[in-house]
Amino acid sequence: MDAALCAFDADGVVTHWNREAERMLGWTQDEAVGRQGLAGWAVRAADAEEVEGQLMGAMRAPGRQVHEFALLTKDGGRVLVRIQSSGVSGADGRPMGVYCAFSEVHAQIDLERSIALSEALLEDASWGVVLVDADLRPTVVNAYAARAFQVSSRAALLGRPLGELLEQGVEELEGALQHVLGEGAPPAPAEIWVTLRGRQPTGAEGTGVRGGSGGEGGNGGGGPGGRGGSADRPEGAGGEASQEAGRRCCWRSGFLRLASPLAEEPVPLGVAWLFQDTTEHKQTEREAARLRFRDRQLHRAVRAAGECEDPLEAARVHLDFALAGFADHALLDLAADPGPEPVSGSDAGLDALPPGDPRLVRAVLTPTAVRGRPPLIEPGTDSGIPVAYAEGHPALQAYARCGSVRASASGPPAPEGWAEARKWPEGTAHGLCTVLRSRGRTLGIVTFLRDAGHRPFDRTDAVYAEQIAAHVSAAADLADAIGK
């Protein structure tokens, strides 16, 4: 046994003495077995009566008794030990003796600390702990990890391949675990992005109004009677932000290789994977970086547009700068008959929008090189020919609402003909239409488009689009004034 063991009969005579007891105290089995009690050789004579009384008292006490005593070694030293003693009964139930298992207190305390640490990590730790076996299957999971995997109980994770729990990132995670098994723990934690399985999107599109092949809606800031603002559609059913927030996670992970301490050579038992969910922190960092980049782009666009003699060229410059990291295409459609001027000292102009759908003329398409069929009418306002938008088109909705409208196909991939029906470039899957307002008039619509390989537009994107639209509106208003 790993623990030292001795036993006494009912008269207190030593009947058993194992090799661990021999190693710890130095007395051999032949020297120990047959002695009456421990006095004078394993215990000081002054302490013998108390020690033997407590040990033999366990013979008639229920359960195990735990005591700490100082035992003597053969060379005269003293060892503080923790003894667990328990009575032995015969077939008739009468006490027959007592056996005692003991170990050095310091070794026992170290063991208890290790056990207590393991239990604390697997119960109350503020980070996830997963023990993975050599086959990369979870064998022990704490409560934090179960919550991170969004399962109802820890038992639901045990023995399952990681591929059944994760939709994306499983290859990277398994590669990290294999590396730890083969090479040992990495020198620093790693941040791994994963997408959880099991939570299906509640809708097909990132918009407020949906149809079978795609949808438009999600106004921003109210209807025709309210000033335009950021898209304030609740990020709920089908919203891209809510789906990703519930399924995509960033876990800051540390790994430890587990090996048996009892083998002559280390034998890998698996990997201890400790992680914390840093999704919110990483998203905040990314959002801050994105805002800094967009602010720089707006600043550069304003400076470049200031060098343009043609106001429409200045509008194009703003849209070109806006595309970087934001959209794949931008369209500028100007109203052939802008909304009326407001009555002095009131907001009546916002309520006096012209009846029916406006005549929107394509003024700018950037970039000019688009996939698929080129535009049937080259951009330019000279002809005055309106774009043939169908009723309910997102651009017309944005014009009527004086706000922003987001639209996404029901893919990916987008249904065939979805972009063509909306007069958008081939491959488009997501659109964001923002109204142009200047001097109380609605001048037109600017539309930003993303291909299927990008995420849908969200509320933050709508706010940025409206910042761009404010600059484009000023340029479009100047162009209209010069034309008059």
Side-chain angles (χ1 to χ4, degrees):
M1 295 180 62
D2 294 333
L5 177 69
C6 67
F8 304 88
D9 62 15
D11 297 326
V13 177
V14 178
T15 59
H16 295 78
W17 190 265
N18 73 346
R19 292 183 179 179
E20 183 62 19
E22 178 181 338
R23 183 199 66 78
M24 186 181 301
L25 300 180
W27 301 99
T28 65
Q29 186 178 27
D30 293 338
E31 294 171 329
V33 173
R35 286 179 178 262
Q36 179 70 42
L38 301 175
W41 61 284
V43 176
R44 291 192 314 169
D47 301 331
E49 182 177 355
E50 178 185 0
V51 171
E52 292 178 0
Q54 293 187 16
L55 292 180
M56 299 307 295
M59 185 167 55
R60 292 176 174 81
R64 291 183 300 171
Q65 307 295 311
V66 179
H67 308 283
E68 291 186 2
F69 302 124
L71 300 183
L72 294 177
T73 62
K74 189 174 183 179
D75 58 7
R78 301 182 71 188
V79 178
L80 183 63
V81 299
R82 179 171 295 178
I83 297 180
Q84 299 184 52
S85 54
S86 181
V88 179
S89 302
D92 55 0
R94 291 186 302 172
M96 299 290 294
V98 62
Y99 75 85
C100 306
F102 60 94
S103 59
E104 295 184 47
V105 168
H106 297 298
Q108 184 72 15
I109 291 176
D110 288 342
L111 175 61
E112 291 178 0
R113 283 174 179 161
S114 299
I115 295 174
L117 174 61
S118 299
E119 291 181 348
L121 288 176
L122 296 174
E123 293 294 338
D124 305 322
S126 58
W127 55 84
V129 180
V130 179
L131 302 188
V132 182
D133 62 17
D135 294 327
L136 307 186
R137 295 173 184 253
T139 57
V140 181
V141 179
N142 74 343
Y144 182 104
R147 291 193 300 269
F149 278 99
Q150 299 179 357
V151 296
S152 57
S153 66
R154 287 185 278 177
L157 293 173
L158 303 184
R160 297 177 60 185
L162 294 175
E164 294 183 3
L165 306 170
L166 303 177
E167 182 177 336
Q168 295 178 350
V170 62
E171 295 86 359
E172 289 74 13
L173 180 56
E174 289 184 343
L177 295 172
Q178 291 283 12
H179 173 79
V180 174
L181 283 173
E183 304 294 333
E191 293 179 336
I192 302 176
W193 283 91
V194 299
T195 302
L196 302 175
R197 290 189 184 274
R199 292 191 60 174
Q200 297 299 327
T202 55
E205 310 166 50
T207 58
V209 180
R210 310 185 189 283
S213 62
E216 289 83 43
N219 70 311
R227 294 192 181 277
S230 62
D232 60 359
R233 172 186 56 82
E235 296 287 351
E240 171 268 337
S242 63
Q243 294 173 17
E244 291 302 309
R247 300 178 62 238
R248 194 161 186 261
C249 307
C250 180
W251 291 340
R252 183 172 176 84
S253 304
F255 303 93
L256 296 172
R257 180 168 62 179
L258 303 180
S260 173
L262 303 180
E264 294 183 1
E265 296 182 0
V267 177
L269 298 177
V271 177
W273 170 29
L274 290 78
F275 67 92
Q276 280 188 317
D277 192 336
T278 59
T279 308
E280 184 176 352
H281 175 69
K282 296 299 293 184
Q283 288 177 341
T284 301
E285 284 186 348
R286 291 187 172 189
E287 181 64 23
R290 182 168 61 177
L291 289 176
R292 287 193 300 269
F293 174 76
R294 289 179 175 179
D295 286 342
R296 287 196 297 267
Q297 288 297 98
L298 286 174
H299 175 71
R300 294 173 61 195
V302 169
R303 296 188 61 181
E307 302 300 325
C308 298
E309 296 182 4
D310 182 4
L312 281 183
E313 183 62 25
R316 176 190 290 273
V317 167
H318 278 290
L319 296 179
D320 285 337
F321 274 94
L323 290 182
F326 180 65
D328 296 299
H329 306 280
L331 311 175
L332 175 59
D333 300 326
L334 297 181
D337 44 0
E341 297 284 352
V343 177
S344 178
S346 74
D347 290 335
L350 293 173
D351 300 316
L353 295 174
D357 290 336
R359 293 188 300 119
L360 297 176
V361 179
R362 177 66 45 81
V364 172
L365 167 62
T366 183
T368 55
V370 296
R371 293 195 304 269
R373 187 176 62 182
L376 300 179
I377 299 179
E378 288 292 333
T381 57
D382 294 338
S383 66
I385 300 176
V387 183
Y389 286 143
E391 182 180 357
H393 191 280
L396 301 180
Q397 292 187 43
Y399 189 95
R401 299 175 182 182
C402 284
S404 298
V405 173
R406 287 173 274 163
S408 289
S410 59
E416 185 177 356
W418 186 85
E420 183 180 359
R422 288 155 180 79
K423 308 301 179 183
W424 289 342
E426 181 182 341
T428 298
H430 314 290
L432 170 60
C433 299
T434 303
V435 70
L436 300 177
R437 294 284 298 177
S438 179
R439 294 189 295 152
R441 300 183 305 159
T442 301
L443 304 180
I445 297 295
V446 61
T447 301
F448 297 98
L449 305 173
R450 287 177 178 169
D451 293 344
H454 301 282
R455 62 178 178 83
F457 291 98
D458 58 20
R459 188 180 303 172
T460 305
D461 295 327
V463 173
Y464 180 56
E466 288 163 4
Q467 289 179 303
I468 300 166
H471 295 285
V472 175
S473 299
D477 194 14
L478 181 58
D480 181 59
I482 293 175
K484 291 180 179 179

